[in-house]
Every structure is written in C-alpha cells, then in structure tokens.
mmCIF file of all heavy atoms in Angstrom:
data_model
loop_
_atom_site.group_PDB
_atom_site.id
_atom_site.type_symbol
_atom_site.label_atom_id
_atom_site.label_comp_id
_atom_site.label_asym_id
_atom_site.label_seq_id
_atom_site.Cartn_x
_atom_site.Cartn_y
_atom_site.Cartn_z
ATOM 1 N N VAL Y 592 -0.959 66.093 -61.396
ATOM 2 C CA VAL Y 592 -2.032 66.081 -60.405
ATOM 3 C C VAL Y 592 -2.819 64.784 -60.542
ATOM 4 O O VAL Y 592 -3.170 64.374 -61.659
ATOM 5 C CB VAL Y 592 -2.970 67.289 -60.595
ATOM 6 C CG1 VAL Y 592 -4.146 67.219 -59.623
ATOM 7 C CG2 VAL Y 592 -2.208 68.592 -60.428
ATOM 8 N N PHE Y 593 -3.110 64.125 -59.416
ATOM 9 C CA PHE Y 593 -4.009 62.965 -59.431
ATOM 10 C C PHE Y 593 -5.431 63.443 -59.709
ATOM 11 O O PHE Y 593 -5.935 64.349 -59.024
ATOM 12 C CB PHE Y 593 -3.963 62.236 -58.090
ATOM 13 C CG PHE Y 593 -2.745 61.377 -57.917
ATOM 14 C CD1 PHE Y 593 -1.714 61.767 -57.076
ATOM 15 C CD2 PHE Y 593 -2.627 60.161 -58.599
ATOM 16 C CE1 PHE Y 593 -0.590 60.963 -56.904
ATOM 17 C CE2 PHE Y 593 -1.517 59.364 -58.440
ATOM 18 C CZ PHE Y 593 -0.495 59.769 -57.597
ATOM 19 N N GLU Y 594 -6.086 62.857 -60.712
ATOM 20 C CA GLU Y 594 -7.424 63.298 -61.090
ATOM 21 C C GLU Y 594 -8.443 63.034 -59.985
ATOM 22 O O GLU Y 594 -9.364 63.833 -59.766
ATOM 23 C CB GLU Y 594 -7.851 62.585 -62.375
ATOM 24 C CG GLU Y 594 -7.039 62.990 -63.589
ATOM 25 C CD GLU Y 594 -7.532 62.312 -64.848
ATOM 26 O OE1 GLU Y 594 -8.656 61.793 -64.861
ATOM 27 O OE2 GLU Y 594 -6.780 62.306 -65.840
ATOM 28 N N ASP Y 595 -8.322 61.919 -59.265
ATOM 29 C CA ASP Y 595 -9.307 61.576 -58.236
ATOM 30 C C ASP Y 595 -9.226 62.476 -57.014
ATOM 31 O O ASP Y 595 -10.254 62.875 -56.451
ATOM 32 C CB ASP Y 595 -9.127 60.116 -57.810
ATOM 33 C CG ASP Y 595 -9.774 59.147 -58.786
ATOM 34 O OD1 ASP Y 595 -10.353 59.625 -59.782
ATOM 35 O OD2 ASP Y 595 -9.680 57.922 -58.560
ATOM 36 N N THR Y 596 -8.007 62.800 -56.580
ATOM 37 C CA THR Y 596 -7.845 63.515 -55.313
ATOM 38 C C THR Y 596 -7.496 64.991 -55.494
ATOM 39 O O THR Y 596 -7.663 65.785 -54.558
ATOM 40 C CB THR Y 596 -6.740 62.861 -54.471
ATOM 41 O OG1 THR Y 596 -5.482 62.986 -55.164
ATOM 42 C CG2 THR Y 596 -7.045 61.381 -54.237
ATOM 43 N N GLY Y 597 -6.989 65.359 -56.665
ATOM 44 C CA GLY Y 597 -6.570 66.738 -56.891
ATOM 45 C C GLY Y 597 -5.226 67.079 -56.273
ATOM 46 O O GLY Y 597 -4.772 68.222 -56.350
ATOM 47 N N LYS Y 598 -4.560 66.100 -55.672
ATOM 48 C CA LYS Y 598 -3.247 66.358 -55.073
ATOM 49 C C LYS Y 598 -2.171 66.333 -56.157
ATOM 50 O O LYS Y 598 -2.190 65.485 -57.045
ATOM 51 C CB LYS Y 598 -2.943 65.312 -53.999
ATOM 52 C CG LYS Y 598 -3.841 65.425 -52.773
ATOM 53 C CD LYS Y 598 -3.429 64.439 -51.700
ATOM 54 C CE LYS Y 598 -4.295 64.604 -50.447
ATOM 55 N NZ LYS Y 598 -3.917 63.656 -49.375
ATOM 56 N N GLY Y 599 -1.241 67.276 -56.061
ATOM 57 C CA GLY Y 599 -0.204 67.388 -57.074
ATOM 58 C C GLY Y 599 1.186 67.124 -56.527
ATOM 59 O O GLY Y 599 1.413 67.093 -55.318
ATOM 60 N N PHE Y 600 2.117 66.914 -57.435
ATOM 61 C CA PHE Y 600 3.505 66.653 -57.057
ATOM 62 C C PHE Y 600 4.399 66.968 -58.252
ATOM 63 O O PHE Y 600 3.967 66.969 -59.402
ATOM 64 C CB PHE Y 600 3.682 65.192 -56.627
ATOM 65 C CG PHE Y 600 3.343 64.201 -57.714
ATOM 66 C CD1 PHE Y 600 4.329 63.688 -58.558
ATOM 67 C CD2 PHE Y 600 2.025 63.784 -57.903
ATOM 68 C CE1 PHE Y 600 4.012 62.788 -59.556
ATOM 69 C CE2 PHE Y 600 1.705 62.878 -58.907
ATOM 70 C CZ PHE Y 600 2.696 62.376 -59.730
ATOM 71 N N ASN Y 601 5.672 67.227 -57.960
ATOM 72 C CA ASN Y 601 6.666 67.432 -59.004
ATOM 73 C C ASN Y 601 7.277 66.083 -59.391
ATOM 74 O O ASN Y 601 7.503 65.230 -58.532
ATOM 75 C CB ASN Y 601 7.784 68.355 -58.529
ATOM 76 C CG ASN Y 601 7.380 69.813 -58.590
ATOM 77 O OD1 ASN Y 601 6.723 70.243 -59.533
ATOM 78 N ND2 ASN Y 601 7.774 70.581 -57.584
ATOM 79 N N THR Y 602 7.516 65.894 -60.684
ATOM 80 C CA THR Y 602 8.189 64.695 -61.155
ATOM 81 C C THR Y 602 9.427 65.106 -61.938
ATOM 82 O O THR Y 602 9.404 66.083 -62.699
ATOM 83 C CB THR Y 602 7.263 63.834 -62.028
ATOM 84 O OG1 THR Y 602 7.982 62.694 -62.495
ATOM 85 C CG2 THR Y 602 6.746 64.607 -63.225
ATOM 86 N N LEU Y 603 10.521 64.378 -61.740
ATOM 87 C CA LEU Y 603 11.791 64.672 -62.390
ATOM 88 C C LEU Y 603 12.150 63.529 -63.322
ATOM 89 O O LEU Y 603 12.051 62.364 -62.946
ATOM 90 C CB LEU Y 603 12.902 64.860 -61.345
ATOM 91 C CG LEU Y 603 12.666 65.952 -60.297
ATOM 92 C CD1 LEU Y 603 13.796 65.958 -59.272
ATOM 93 C CD2 LEU Y 603 12.546 67.314 -60.974
ATOM 94 N N GLY Y 604 12.572 63.858 -64.530
ATOM 95 C CA GLY Y 604 12.937 62.843 -65.518
ATOM 96 C C GLY Y 604 14.400 62.481 -65.460
ATOM 97 O O GLY Y 604 15.145 62.878 -64.552
ATOM 98 N N VAL Y 605 14.838 61.718 -66.454
ATOM 99 C CA VAL Y 605 16.237 61.301 -66.533
ATOM 100 C C VAL Y 605 17.085 62.509 -66.941
ATOM 101 O O VAL Y 605 16.783 63.170 -67.931
ATOM 102 C CB VAL Y 605 16.413 60.171 -67.563
ATOM 103 C CG1 VAL Y 605 17.852 59.705 -67.591
ATOM 104 C CG2 VAL Y 605 15.485 59.018 -67.236
ATOM 105 N N PRO Y 606 18.159 62.807 -66.204
ATOM 106 C CA PRO Y 606 18.985 63.960 -66.581
ATOM 107 C C PRO Y 606 19.822 63.657 -67.815
ATOM 108 O O PRO Y 606 20.275 62.536 -68.021
ATOM 109 C CB PRO Y 606 19.882 64.165 -65.355
ATOM 110 C CG PRO Y 606 19.980 62.803 -64.731
ATOM 111 C CD PRO Y 606 18.651 62.147 -64.986
ATOM 112 N N SER Y 607 20.017 64.672 -68.649
ATOM 113 C CA SER Y 607 20.910 64.545 -69.795
ATOM 114 C C SER Y 607 22.313 64.985 -69.381
ATOM 115 O O SER Y 607 22.535 65.484 -68.273
ATOM 116 C CB SER Y 607 20.406 65.384 -70.968
ATOM 117 O OG SER Y 607 20.245 66.724 -70.598
ATOM 118 N N ASP Y 608 23.269 64.817 -70.271
ATOM 119 C CA ASP Y 608 24.665 65.118 -69.954
ATOM 120 C C ASP Y 608 25.035 66.533 -70.376
ATOM 121 O O ASP Y 608 24.539 67.058 -71.381
ATOM 122 C CB ASP Y 608 25.585 64.127 -70.674
ATOM 123 C CG ASP Y 608 25.452 62.723 -70.102
ATOM 124 O OD1 ASP Y 608 25.912 62.505 -68.974
ATOM 125 O OD2 ASP Y 608 24.886 61.863 -70.791
ATOM 126 N N ARG Y 609 25.928 67.140 -69.609
ATOM 127 C CA ARG Y 609 26.395 68.483 -69.932
ATOM 128 C C ARG Y 609 27.321 68.467 -71.148
ATOM 129 O O ARG Y 609 27.249 69.355 -72.004
ATOM 130 C CB ARG Y 609 27.125 69.069 -68.714
ATOM 131 C CG ARG Y 609 27.676 70.457 -68.915
ATOM 132 C CD ARG Y 609 26.575 71.499 -68.934
ATOM 133 N NE ARG Y 609 25.936 71.650 -67.631
ATOM 134 C CZ ARG Y 609 24.873 72.415 -67.397
ATOM 135 N NH1 ARG Y 609 24.324 73.092 -68.394
ATOM 136 N NH2 ARG Y 609 24.338 72.490 -66.198
ATOM 137 N N ASP Y 610 28.193 67.468 -71.228
ATOM 138 C CA ASP Y 610 29.169 67.392 -72.314
ATOM 139 C C ASP Y 610 29.110 66.026 -72.974
ATOM 140 O O ASP Y 610 28.876 65.009 -72.307
ATOM 141 C CB ASP Y 610 30.590 67.650 -71.794
ATOM 142 C CG ASP Y 610 30.744 69.044 -71.223
ATOM 143 O OD1 ASP Y 610 30.793 69.991 -72.022
ATOM 144 O OD2 ASP Y 610 30.791 69.174 -69.986
ATOM 145 N N ALA Y 611 29.339 65.992 -74.279
ATOM 146 C CA ALA Y 611 29.288 64.742 -75.030
ATOM 147 C C ALA Y 611 30.272 64.798 -76.184
ATOM 148 O O ALA Y 611 30.598 65.880 -76.703
ATOM 149 C CB ALA Y 611 27.874 64.468 -75.545
ATOM 150 N N ALA Y 612 30.740 63.632 -76.603
ATOM 151 C CA ALA Y 612 31.597 63.506 -77.777
ATOM 152 C C ALA Y 612 30.740 63.080 -78.963
ATOM 153 O O ALA Y 612 29.941 62.152 -78.854
ATOM 154 C CB ALA Y 612 32.701 62.481 -77.529
ATOM 155 N N ASN Y 613 30.899 63.760 -80.081
ATOM 156 C CA ASN Y 613 30.157 63.465 -81.300
ATOM 157 C C ASN Y 613 31.127 62.901 -82.335
ATOM 158 O O ASN Y 613 32.123 63.544 -82.672
ATOM 159 C CB ASN Y 613 29.499 64.745 -81.826
ATOM 160 C CG ASN Y 613 28.485 64.466 -82.917
ATOM 161 O OD1 ASN Y 613 28.389 63.361 -83.419
ATOM 162 N ND2 ASN Y 613 27.732 65.490 -83.282
ATOM 163 N N VAL Y 614 30.826 61.699 -82.832
ATOM 164 C CA VAL Y 614 31.692 61.024 -83.799
ATOM 165 C C VAL Y 614 30.857 60.639 -85.017
ATOM 166 O O VAL Y 614 29.752 60.103 -84.871
ATOM 167 C CB VAL Y 614 32.338 59.753 -83.191
ATOM 168 C CG1 VAL Y 614 33.211 59.056 -84.217
ATOM 169 C CG2 VAL Y 614 33.141 60.109 -81.947
ATOM 170 N N GLU Y 615 31.386 60.903 -86.203
ATOM 171 C CA GLU Y 615 30.685 60.545 -87.436
ATOM 172 C C GLU Y 615 31.665 59.928 -88.421
ATOM 173 O O GLU Y 615 32.765 60.443 -88.631
ATOM 174 C CB GLU Y 615 30.038 61.783 -88.049
ATOM 175 C CG GLU Y 615 29.188 61.511 -89.274
ATOM 176 C CD GLU Y 615 28.489 62.751 -89.791
ATOM 177 O OE1 GLU Y 615 27.647 63.305 -89.054
ATOM 178 O OE2 GLU Y 615 28.816 63.175 -90.917
ATOM 179 N N LEU Y 616 31.248 58.811 -89.036
ATOM 180 C CA LEU Y 616 32.058 58.123 -90.036
ATOM 181 C C LEU Y 616 31.166 57.745 -91.206
ATOM 182 O O LEU Y 616 30.027 57.315 -91.010
ATOM 183 C CB LEU Y 616 32.694 56.854 -89.450
ATOM 184 C CG LEU Y 616 33.647 57.032 -88.270
ATOM 185 C CD1 LEU Y 616 33.988 55.681 -87.658
ATOM 186 C CD2 LEU Y 616 34.905 57.761 -88.700
ATOM 187 N N GLY Y 617 31.682 57.897 -92.430
ATOM 188 C CA GLY Y 617 30.887 57.529 -93.587
ATOM 189 C C GLY Y 617 31.618 57.779 -94.876
ATOM 190 O O GLY Y 617 32.817 58.088 -94.897
ATOM 191 N N PHE Y 618 30.889 57.663 -95.975
ATOM 192 C CA PHE Y 618 31.494 57.873 -97.280
ATOM 193 C C PHE Y 618 30.442 58.305 -98.293
ATOM 194 O O PHE Y 618 29.247 58.036 -98.141
ATOM 195 C CB PHE Y 618 32.194 56.597 -97.767
ATOM 196 C CG PHE Y 618 31.277 55.415 -97.922
ATOM 197 C CD1 PHE Y 618 30.579 55.198 -99.093
ATOM 198 C CD2 PHE Y 618 31.092 54.527 -96.865
ATOM 199 C CE1 PHE Y 618 29.722 54.106 -99.231
ATOM 200 C CE2 PHE Y 618 30.236 53.441 -96.998
ATOM 201 C CZ PHE Y 618 29.545 53.227 -98.183
ATOM 202 N N ASP Y 619 30.914 59.005 -99.334
ATOM 203 C CA ASP Y 619 30.105 59.383 -100.488
ATOM 204 C C ASP Y 619 30.577 58.583 -101.695
ATOM 205 O O ASP Y 619 31.778 58.348 -101.851
ATOM 206 C CB ASP Y 619 30.236 60.875 -100.805
ATOM 207 C CG ASP Y 619 29.778 61.761 -99.666
ATOM 208 O OD1 ASP Y 619 29.001 61.286 -98.819
ATOM 209 O OD2 ASP Y 619 30.212 62.928 -99.619
ATOM 210 N N VAL Y 620 29.633 58.180 -102.541
ATOM 211 C CA VAL Y 620 29.965 57.468 -103.772
ATOM 212 C C VAL Y 620 29.265 58.162 -104.931
ATOM 213 O O VAL Y 620 28.038 58.343 -104.902
ATOM 214 C CB VAL Y 620 29.531 55.987 -103.718
ATOM 215 C CG1 VAL Y 620 29.944 55.279 -105.005
ATOM 216 C CG2 VAL Y 620 30.137 55.284 -102.515
ATOM 217 N N ALA Y 621 30.047 58.562 -105.952
ATOM 218 C CA ALA Y 621 29.461 59.144 -107.158
ATOM 219 C C ALA Y 621 28.941 57.996 -108.015
ATOM 220 O O ALA Y 621 29.713 57.244 -108.599
ATOM 221 C CB ALA Y 621 30.507 59.951 -107.915
ATOM 222 N N VAL Y 622 27.613 57.830 -108.056
ATOM 223 C CA VAL Y 622 27.009 56.667 -108.726
ATOM 224 C C VAL Y 622 26.502 56.988 -110.125
ATOM 225 O O VAL Y 622 26.175 56.087 -110.891
ATOM 226 C CB VAL Y 622 25.848 56.104 -107.876
ATOM 227 C CG1 VAL Y 622 26.378 55.542 -106.572
ATOM 228 C CG2 VAL Y 622 24.793 57.173 -107.611
ATOM 229 N N ALA Y 623 26.405 58.271 -110.489
ATOM 230 C CA ALA Y 623 25.918 58.668 -111.809
ATOM 231 C C ALA Y 623 26.286 60.124 -112.008
ATOM 232 O O ALA Y 623 26.650 60.816 -111.041
ATOM 233 C CB ALA Y 623 24.397 58.480 -111.908
ATOM 234 N N PRO Y 624 26.244 60.613 -113.243
ATOM 235 C CA PRO Y 624 26.513 62.040 -113.460
ATOM 236 C C PRO Y 624 25.585 62.910 -112.611
ATOM 237 O O PRO Y 624 24.373 62.888 -112.774
ATOM 238 C CB PRO Y 624 26.248 62.227 -114.961
ATOM 239 C CG PRO Y 624 26.487 60.875 -115.553
ATOM 240 C CD PRO Y 624 26.004 59.902 -114.514
ATOM 241 N N GLY Y 625 26.171 63.620 -111.670
ATOM 242 C CA GLY Y 625 25.380 64.474 -110.794
ATOM 243 C C GLY Y 625 24.752 63.769 -109.617
ATOM 244 O O GLY Y 625 24.139 64.404 -108.762
ATOM 245 N N GLY Y 626 24.867 62.440 -109.524
ATOM 246 C CA GLY Y 626 24.246 61.682 -108.442
ATOM 247 C C GLY Y 626 25.267 61.184 -107.439
ATOM 248 O O GLY Y 626 26.313 60.656 -107.808
ATOM 249 N N VAL Y 627 24.965 61.346 -106.141
ATOM 250 C CA VAL Y 627 25.862 60.916 -105.064
ATOM 251 C C VAL Y 627 25.063 60.128 -104.032
ATOM 252 O O VAL Y 627 24.029 60.588 -103.543
ATOM 253 C CB VAL Y 627 26.554 62.117 -104.387
ATOM 254 C CG1 VAL Y 627 27.426 61.640 -103.227
ATOM 255 C CG2 VAL Y 627 27.387 62.900 -105.389
ATOM 256 N N PHE Y 628 25.556 58.932 -103.695
ATOM 257 C CA PHE Y 628 24.980 58.109 -102.637
ATOM 258 C C PHE Y 628 25.887 58.201 -101.421
ATOM 259 O O PHE Y 628 27.116 58.129 -101.533
ATOM 260 C CB PHE Y 628 24.867 56.655 -103.104
ATOM 261 C CG PHE Y 628 24.513 55.690 -102.001
ATOM 262 C CD1 PHE Y 628 23.196 55.501 -101.618
ATOM 263 C CD2 PHE Y 628 25.508 54.981 -101.340
ATOM 264 C CE1 PHE Y 628 22.868 54.620 -100.601
ATOM 265 C CE2 PHE Y 628 25.196 54.091 -100.327
ATOM 266 C CZ PHE Y 628 23.870 53.914 -99.957
ATOM 267 N N SER Y 629 25.302 58.351 -100.221
ATOM 268 C CA SER Y 629 26.080 58.493 -98.988
ATOM 269 C C SER Y 629 25.538 57.568 -97.915
ATOM 270 O O SER Y 629 24.325 57.351 -97.822
ATOM 271 C CB SER Y 629 26.028 59.937 -98.474
ATOM 272 O OG SER Y 629 26.437 60.857 -99.460
ATOM 273 N N LEU Y 630 26.441 57.050 -97.092
ATOM 274 C CA LEU Y 630 26.093 56.211 -95.940
ATOM 275 C C LEU Y 630 26.930 56.676 -94.760
ATOM 276 O O LEU Y 630 28.160 56.739 -94.865
ATOM 277 C CB LEU Y 630 26.351 54.740 -96.234
ATOM 278 C CG LEU Y 630 26.055 53.750 -95.097
ATOM 279 C CD1 LEU Y 630 24.568 53.747 -94.763
ATOM 280 C CD2 LEU Y 630 26.517 52.345 -95.473
ATOM 281 N N TYR Y 631 26.261 57.005 -93.640
ATOM 282 C CA TYR Y 631 26.964 57.547 -92.490
ATOM 283 C C TYR Y 631 26.468 56.917 -91.181
ATOM 284 O O TYR Y 631 25.282 56.601 -91.043
ATOM 285 C CB TYR Y 631 26.749 59.062 -92.380
ATOM 286 C CG TYR Y 631 27.474 59.869 -93.420
ATOM 287 C CD1 TYR Y 631 26.848 60.219 -94.610
ATOM 288 C CD2 TYR Y 631 28.786 60.282 -93.221
ATOM 289 C CE1 TYR Y 631 27.507 60.952 -95.579
ATOM 290 C CE2 TYR Y 631 29.456 61.021 -94.179
ATOM 291 C CZ TYR Y 631 28.813 61.348 -95.354
ATOM 292 O OH TYR Y 631 29.463 62.078 -96.308
ATOM 293 N N TYR Y 632 27.402 56.805 -90.237
ATOM 294 C CA TYR Y 632 27.071 56.473 -88.845
ATOM 295 C C TYR Y 632 27.459 57.663 -87.982
ATOM 296 O O TYR Y 632 28.542 58.230 -88.138
ATOM 297 C CB TYR Y 632 27.830 55.237 -88.370
ATOM 298 C CG TYR Y 632 27.832 55.117 -86.857
ATOM 299 C CD1 TYR Y 632 26.721 54.604 -86.178
ATOM 300 C CD2 TYR Y 632 28.916 55.577 -86.107
ATOM 301 C CE1 TYR Y 632 26.697 54.542 -84.787
ATOM 302 C CE2 TYR Y 632 28.908 55.510 -84.717
ATOM 303 C CZ TYR Y 632 27.804 54.989 -84.063
ATOM 304 O OH TYR Y 632 27.777 54.941 -82.698
ATOM 305 N N GLU Y 633 26.566 58.045 -87.077
ATOM 306 C CA GLU Y 633 26.860 59.115 -86.129
ATOM 307 C C GLU Y 633 26.605 58.621 -84.714
ATOM 308 O O GLU Y 633 25.565 58.015 -84.442
ATOM 309 C CB GLU Y 633 26.006 60.349 -86.408
ATOM 310 C CG GLU Y 633 26.317 61.511 -85.474
ATOM 311 C CD GLU Y 633 25.489 62.748 -85.760
ATOM 312 O OE1 GLU Y 633 24.686 62.703 -86.712
ATOM 313 O OE2 GLU Y 633 25.644 63.757 -85.043
ATOM 314 N N GLY Y 634 27.550 58.872 -83.809
ATOM 315 C CA GLY Y 634 27.404 58.466 -82.421
ATOM 316 C C GLY Y 634 27.617 59.636 -81.475
ATOM 317 O O GLY Y 634 28.490 60.484 -81.696
ATOM 318 N N LEU Y 635 26.791 59.695 -80.432
ATOM 319 C CA LEU Y 635 26.920 60.696 -79.383
ATOM 320 C C LEU Y 635 27.168 59.942 -78.083
ATOM 321 O O LEU Y 635 26.339 59.125 -77.667
ATOM 322 C CB LEU Y 635 25.643 61.542 -79.295
ATOM 323 C CG LEU Y 635 25.726 62.850 -78.514
ATOM 324 C CD1 LEU Y 635 26.646 63.834 -79.225
ATOM 325 C CD2 LEU Y 635 24.338 63.458 -78.349
ATOM 326 N N PHE Y 636 28.308 60.220 -77.439
ATOM 327 C CA PHE Y 636 28.728 59.446 -76.278
ATOM 328 C C PHE Y 636 29.013 60.373 -75.101
ATOM 329 O O PHE Y 636 29.741 61.357 -75.243
ATOM 330 C CB PHE Y 636 29.981 58.625 -76.603
ATOM 331 C CG PHE Y 636 29.811 57.690 -77.764
ATOM 332 C CD1 PHE Y 636 30.216 58.062 -79.033
ATOM 333 C CD2 PHE Y 636 29.223 56.445 -77.580
ATOM 334 C CE1 PHE Y 636 30.054 57.205 -80.110
ATOM 335 C CE2 PHE Y 636 29.055 55.582 -78.646
ATOM 336 C CZ PHE Y 636 29.465 55.968 -79.907
ATOM 337 N N ALA Y 637 28.400 60.047 -73.944
ATOM 338 C CA ALA Y 637 28.610 60.815 -72.726
ATOM 339 C C ALA Y 637 28.482 59.870 -71.533
ATOM 340 O O ALA Y 637 28.321 58.664 -71.696
ATOM 341 C CB ALA Y 637 27.595 61.956 -72.638
#
C-alpha cells in the first residue's frame, strides 16, 4: 500500500524453479586422531 494515498496493489517476485539438479563434490581428510577436515562444493542448477 502507498502510505500517502492508501492505494494498494499486488506485487509478484521472481519465480523459482519446479525442478533442479543438485550436485556436490568434495573430500574428507583425516588430519589427526579423531579429527577430520572436509571441503565441499555444492551446486543447484535449474
């Protein structure tokens, strides 16, 4: 609603996608007894 006039309207945002492909690549490294370091990339594509 416009504050000055009180007139209102509907606004529509950017539509999202119905279906998408999810891809993840990475690795774990055992760096110490009981300790694990990980680095990953994740992508969502539609």
Side-chain angles (χ1 to χ4, degrees):
V592 176
F593 282 106
E594 293 183 17
D595 280 0
T596 64
K598 292 184 177 180
F600 61 94
N601 280 320
T602 178
L603 302 176
V605 183
S607 56
D608 291 289
R609 179 73 68 186
D610 297 286
N613 192 350
V614 179
E615 185 176 296
L616 299 170
F618 61 87
D619 299 338
V620 182
V622 294
V627 177
F628 170 83
S629 305
L630 179 64
Y631 288 93
Y632 163 80
E633 182 179 359
L635 195 67
F636 303 96

